[in-house]
Each structure stands twice: as structure tokens, then as C-alpha cells.
Amino acid sequence: MSPEDEHPPAPPPRRPSRARLGAWITLVLAMVAPALLLWSWSRPRPAPPREMPPLALAPRAVRAQIAADREAAARAPDGALEEARRAVYDEAHEAEVAGSDPPAVAMRRRARLRETLDTLAEAHGEAAVAAVRAADLERAERALRGTLPEVQRDAALGGLPDMMRRWRMADAERQRAPRFVVRTAFKARWNALYGREPTEGLSEVERRAHWGWLALHADGAPLDLRLDGLARYAEAGGERIAEARGVLLYEEERGDDARAAFEEAARRRPTFRLRNHALAASLR
């Protein structure tokens, strides 16, 4: 027997099968990909803000307020004093829609409006003010839904539809704002019509809806008005205030102020997104 027969050559090393090679590559990618994604997401890079934080309203508080309004409307006083108030109220709304009052006439009418409401409150108490406001709100909602006769629509709504379009609550005939926001806007407008503060007598969730919509969604409103609304939204328990301020200031090309606002927001709620908004604002 030759030496070659006693010690045959070793077989060549086996190459891994394609299936095993593919499995190995898949495993490596599965281990590496998350790290690559995290690196990509965490890498500082400018990211302009695209949208506002959402308007936050607690559903339970909204339902409770709507129920309270319904109960208040049911307690609205009737009689000669309320008939007189309603008559002047309807006339004022119809004149507003028609644009028929010269300034002097409009001022006298506003004075009569206040007098009729003050007289009603003296006779029935301040609770009557909330009650007749709730009753007027119910009629306005019927007008908006189209269930009120057309001839009564102007008296029920006045300039509310114009205000809704101006504050981006509606586009043409399509309502954009939630029903509760529109209800609250009606109440604020009603208060102003009678010479009262817009949110006088409104609950916290109503103040949050009123000021929050103005600050977060009333595109086209002056910046100072929206920033003031944002401060009042914060007082009413609104959320993500610094971020919203950053968006408003960024849109007005106030880069340094926007950067400071986003940095404050990132301190309160650390995210890569807010940090990247601050970087974009610094380059504004």
C-alpha cells in the first residue's frame, strides 16, 4: 500500500449553502437596522414644523356642558321683559346681516340691547342671563342645522357665519370646527353683543375651546391676537403651549423667538422632532 493510500487527501471545505448564507445576512441586518434607524432619527437636522398641536378638550367635560346648557335653556324666563329683549336682539342681528345701521344707529341699538338684558337680570337674577343665552344658542344651532325656517335664520345667527369663516371654523358651506367650538364661539359673540367680556360666565372647557381654536386654528388672524389667545388657552388648562407658540412664531419668520419656544417645548417634552424644529427655526 502506498503512502498516498494510507493518508488520503482531506476533502475540500464545504461552502455554506445559499439558504444558510441568506439567513446569516438577515440576522445581521436585523441586528444592525435598528441602530441605523436610531442613528438616522436622532441625527440633528432641520425639520420645519408642519402642523399645530391638536386642540385638547375632555369629552366628559364637553358632554356635561352641553347638558348644562340644555337645562339652562329650559329655565329661560318668558313674559314681557324677555319678549322685549328678544325683539331688540333679533333686530340687531337682522341689521347686522343687512349692514343697514349707520354707526350712530348701531351704537343706540347696542345701548338698548344692554338695557334690555340688565332689566331682565334685575327682575330674574343673573342666572337668567345664562338661561336666555342658552335658549338663543339652541335656536342658533337649529339655524345652522337647517331646521329653523329660513326667514328666522338671520335673526338667530346674525354675523356668526361670517365670524366662522373669518376664524376658519367654516369654508364656504362646510363646517370645519367641532360643534362644541362653534357653540362656544356663539356664546362669546353673544356676550360681546351685550357689552360683556367674551368668556364671561363660560366654563373652563368652554374657555379652552374658545381661546384654543383662536390660537391653534384661526389661520389669518393677527399674530398678537393668536398669541394672546394662546396665553388664555394656557390659563384654561390648554396643553403644548410652547410648541404652539413656536409654530406661530416660525410662520411669522421670527426665527430666534421660534427657536426659543421650541427649545422650551423640548425641555418639557423631549423629542427629536421638537429639537429639529428648533434647529430649523435657528436657520429661519
Side-chain angles (χ1 to χ4, degrees), residues 160-178:
L160 179 66
D162 288 338
M163 188 189 79
M164 290 173 63
R165 287 187 287 269
R166 187 167 62 251
W167 282 24
R168 295 299 307 279
M169 294 180 184
D171 289 330
E173 297 301 321
R174 182 176 66 88
Q175 182 173 309
R176 299 177 65 247

Side-chain angles (χ1 to χ4, degrees), residues 65-101:
Q65 183 59 54
I66 291 175
D69 286 338
R70 191 178 302 117
E71 294 172 2
R75 297 193 299 269
D78 52 17
L81 293 179
E82 168 56 10
E83 289 176 3
R85 182 206 69 86
R86 176 67 69 84
V88 179
Y89 174 83
D90 288 357
E91 288 173 7
H93 268 177
E94 290 169 347
E96 181 181 21
V97 173
S100 58
D101 277 354

Side-chain angles (χ1 to χ4, degrees), residues 51-57 178 208 212-213 215-217 230 233 237-241 243-244 247 269 273:
E51 59 185 14
M52 274 286 189
L55 175 61
L57 301 174
R208 192 179 304 169
W213 183 270
L216 303 177
H217 299 294
L230 189 62
Y233 177 55
E239 301 173 353
R240 298 167 65 176
I241 304 301
E243 179 182 350
V247 176
R269 187 168 169 264
R273 178 179 59 83

Side-chain angles (χ1 to χ4, degrees), residues 127-210:
V129 174
V132 295
R133 183 178 59 202
D136 287 346
L137 170 60
E138 282 194 351
R139 188 167 61 132
E141 282 213 298
R142 289 173 57 203
L144 289 173
R145 290 196 302 267
T147 60
L148 194 72
E150 185 67 24
V151 294
Q152 300 178 30
R153 178 181 169 85
D154 289 349
L157 295 177
L160 179 66
D162 288 338
M163 188 189 79
M164 290 173 63
R165 287 187 287 269
R166 187 167 62 251
W167 282 24
R168 295 299 307 279
M169 294 180 184
D171 289 330
E173 297 301 321
R174 182 176 66 88
Q175 182 173 309
R176 299 177 65 247
R179 174 195 176 196
F180 189 73
V181 169
V182 174
R183 289 171 59 93
T184 305
F186 173 89
K187 283 188 173 185
R189 189 177 181 280
W190 191 96
N191 281 346
L193 189 66
Y194 282 101
R196 299 182 172 220
E197 288 295 317
T199 55
E200 180 179 321
L202 270 59
S203 65
E204 182 180 88
V205 70
E206 288 178 310
R207 296 196 305 275
R208 192 179 304 169
H210 177 73

